[in-house]
Amino acid sequence: MRFASLGSGSAGNALVVEVNQTRLMLDCGFSIKETLARLARLSLQPDDLAGIVITHEHDDHAGGAFKFAAKYKIPVWLTYGTLKMSSRYIPIQHDLQLNVVDSHSEFSVGDIHVQPYPVPHDAREPMQCVFSDGNHKLGVLTDVGRTTPHIVERLSGCRALVLECNHDASMLQTGPYSWALKKRVGGDLGHLENLDSANLLSKLDNSQLQHILAAHLSAKNNTPALARSSLANVLGCEDDWVGIADQLQGFDWREITSS
């Protein structure tokens, strides 16, 4: 089982998970041209994808998903609320295979098991996901304003985590955003701050953790060094053991092993 990011941040998000010959893309907030270029960096092309899972309807996660899926005939999985709020993205004439899922119910695509879970965010019916090959778990959490006991339960025991570290609280408060946007980003339906992400991490069973990547960093209200330091302090590891999912490059393939 391995995974890689095409890019992570407010300008676009996409993550690829691979188990054997099954590959799923989580979100697609890039244009078709940009998605193709970013997939090529991972030695992938559209035919390699068994499906796209969409977490919620915001542009940076769903903006390119439906056109890409329609062009290359890739099935899509999403909640009913996300589907209802995504009509502006869906081509008028299409033969998309749209699979509506419950955010509490597991489903499988080929060799990949997907466990969605609901999260507090300012979208209609947002979810995040834990991916598994039956033995190993990859937990993904971005676009969440606060943590919940259910999130802690879902992310405990993962061998890999992609965890939102969107902003530093002081940088957000003194930064260039409008007061309304600061309230949204820092609110209970916004995005996780570094120390909140660290607090969540401290509550998890990390005994099997092999990889952790800080994701969805704000370009104006955070730095990779601050995000790394916050998570490393919890894990008791060197800062550079914590990876960064950045906007331009994402991150290259990471493999989850049994050892």
Side-chain angles (χ1 to χ4, degrees), residues 133-149:
D133 62 359
N135 295 307
H136 314 120
K137 294 196 304 180
L138 160 66
V140 181
L141 177 68
T142 68
D143 297 75
V144 56
R146 58 181 172 83
T147 61
T148 67

Side-chain angles (χ1 to χ4, degrees), residues 12-31:
N13 296 270
L15 181 85
V16 177
V17 183
E18 176 184 284
V19 175
N20 299 324
Q21 296 304 307
T22 304
R23 299 174 191 88
L24 286 179
M25 185 156 65
L26 180 68
D27 290 331
C28 183
F30 303 106
S31 68

